[in-house]
Amino acid sequence: MHHTDELDDTERTTDELFEAMASGNVIQVIFGDAFAFHISLSGVALFTRHDLAPEEITELVAGTARGVLDVDPTPSCDSPIAVDPGEAALLDRALAARRALVGA
């Protein structure tokens, strides 16, 4: 089981994330109350932090296969999901670090 490096510091560079992942750590990036991404050498896992209907899950999987995080607000949300720009940039850098590590 990998150690989880919970990052509050959205300023970590791609190189720092590369080193953390190469050491076997899991990079966790949280998008508000909606999603948590766990990025490691073994894969990228997306966890929902609220219940999704089966059709919403199907749409989410289809979108991520195209490289798009396409989710309509669920009944429990009154507005579109807010994503912190720092967290979005951190996710971008973590995914770039993983691509560099796995050679994709």
Side-chain angles (χ1 to χ4, degrees), residues 61-77:
V61 170
T64 55
R66 295 187 314 273
V68 178
L69 185 60
D70 185 24
V71 179
D72 291 326
T74 63
S76 62
C77 296

Side-chain angles (χ1 to χ4, degrees), residues 2-69:
H2 294 290
H3 170 70
T4 299
D5 182 4
E6 292 190 24
L7 298 177
D8 292 325
D9 182 6
T10 57
E11 297 303 312
R12 290 207 185 168
T13 66
T14 303
D15 290 339
E16 290 171 322
L17 296 168
F18 180 97
E19 289 176 22
M21 232 178 291
S23 298
N25 291 309
V26 173
I27 308 301
Q28 178 175 280
V29 182
I30 296 175
F31 279 5
D33 295 331
F35 301 107
F37 292 85
H38 290 195
I39 302 130
S40 68
L41 285 175
S42 62
V44 178
L46 172 61
F47 297 94
T48 59
R49 300 180 70 185
H50 60 85
D51 294 334
L52 292 176
E55 57 275 1
E56 290 174 307
I57 294 170
T58 301
E59 288 175 26
L60 178 63
V61 170
T64 55
R66 295 187 314 273
V68 178
L69 185 60

